[in-house]
Amino acid sequence: MLGISVLYGHLTNQVKREKRRVKQLKQTEELKRQVVCALAHDVKAPLSVILGHAELLARSVGGQPDPAEQFVSLKCIRENIDRIVKLVTGFLNVSELVTPKTETSKSEVEINAIIRDVIRQQTVTLRKKDLNVRLELADDLKPCHGDQNQLERVLWNLIDNAIKFTPQGGAITLTSRMIANNISLSIRDTGVGIPKEELPNLFLEFKRLKGSANIDGTGLGLFIVKTILDAHNGAITAESQEGAGTTFKII
């Protein structure tokens, strides 16, 4: 009887170990799927910037090109190629999306500088859509202690969304200020807005809004934004009225 009990206990432990192994494999596969989807999503924004500036350079051929404007376009193309390389390199670590880099990779990040840079990179798209951008950035904004690349992804996604969902001739307002010892940001647009019933599920993975079928996207942008902000002890909320624009607020 003792031998049977030992054998039974051994088999039970083997089954438990196998269940744990299968669970870990499933989690790894799910993480890989998230990483591939997130990479595909994040690469689209810099590729759009590259395409816009390449078209601008192509139109200047045979005419009277402005050397200063050509220099800006070439600079933006180079910077966004570097950005894509950085994204791909970062995603080689498959845990990066769910668990952003360790404390050793964190530094003092200038949020206002990132906002200005994203707007500069998107100049061509903003001109095409005749969008008015207002920057109301506090001069006394303190640096944020965090992962520079991850926080860039947050602002790229939110500003890119505002541009995509704001119709021709609309406006986007970006605000930064200090509230106590926290950084407060808002991204407000005069776009199509979000139906009230969709707001509670806005930050879920692969969530696509009604009325966005004709707008390029994967439904991953806001999921990525919330994942990164959660890892930085931050929070994001959305206020919107259908047909009257959307405001995203970050603390």
Side-chain angles (χ1 to χ4, degrees), residues 196-212:
K196 186 178 180 180
E197 66 272 14
E198 295 197 23
L199 285 173
N201 300 319
L202 195 59
F203 299 98
L204 297 181
E205 187 180 12
F206 297 118
K207 180 64 180 174
R208 290 282 281 153
L209 301 178
K210 291 176 184 175
S212 64

Side-chain angles (χ1 to χ4, degrees), residues 145-165:
H145 185 68
D147 186 310
Q148 171 89 22
N149 293 332
Q150 297 283 13
L151 292 172
E152 280 180 359
R153 290 170 70 193
V154 167
L155 291 164
W156 262 94
N157 278 326
L158 291 173
I159 295 171
D160 191 55
N161 260 10
I163 292 170
K164 283 195 295 188
F165 287 96

Side-chain angles (χ1 to χ4, degrees), residues 15-115:
V15 169
K16 287 180 179 177
R17 283 197 296 270
E18 184 63 19
K19 283 183 177 178
R20 284 198 298 269
R21 190 183 71 83
V22 170
K23 185 179 178 181
Q24 287 172 348
L25 282 173
K26 285 181 177 178
Q27 289 174 338
T28 301
E29 288 304 312
E30 173 64 13
L31 185 56
K32 285 180 180 178
R33 180 191 63 78
Q34 288 179 329
V35 166
V36 170
C37 292
L39 176 58
H41 175 276
D42 279 2
V43 164
K44 289 172 76 174
L47 281 176
S48 296
V49 173
I50 291 170
L51 180 61
H53 283 283
E55 288 175 347
L56 194 66
L57 288 171
R59 286 198 298 271
S60 71
V61 174
Q64 293 183 333
D66 180 346
E69 195 170 71
Q70 285 186 322
F71 175 78
V72 169
S73 288
L74 288 170
K75 188 170 184 287
C76 282
I77 288 171
R78 174 57 191 269
E79 286 174 349
N80 279 278
I81 289 172
D82 289 343
R83 177 172 167 75
I84 290 171
V85 171
K86 248 191 334 185
L87 280 168
V88 172
T89 302
F91 274 111
L92 291 177
N93 175 4
V94 294
S95 66
E96 184 181 5
L97 177 60
V98 174
T99 309
K101 294 177 184 176
T102 58
E103 189 70 21
T104 55
S105 70
K106 292 186 176 182
S107 60
E108 299 299 293
V109 181
E110 297 288 346
I111 297 295
N112 283 348
I114 296 175
I115 292 171

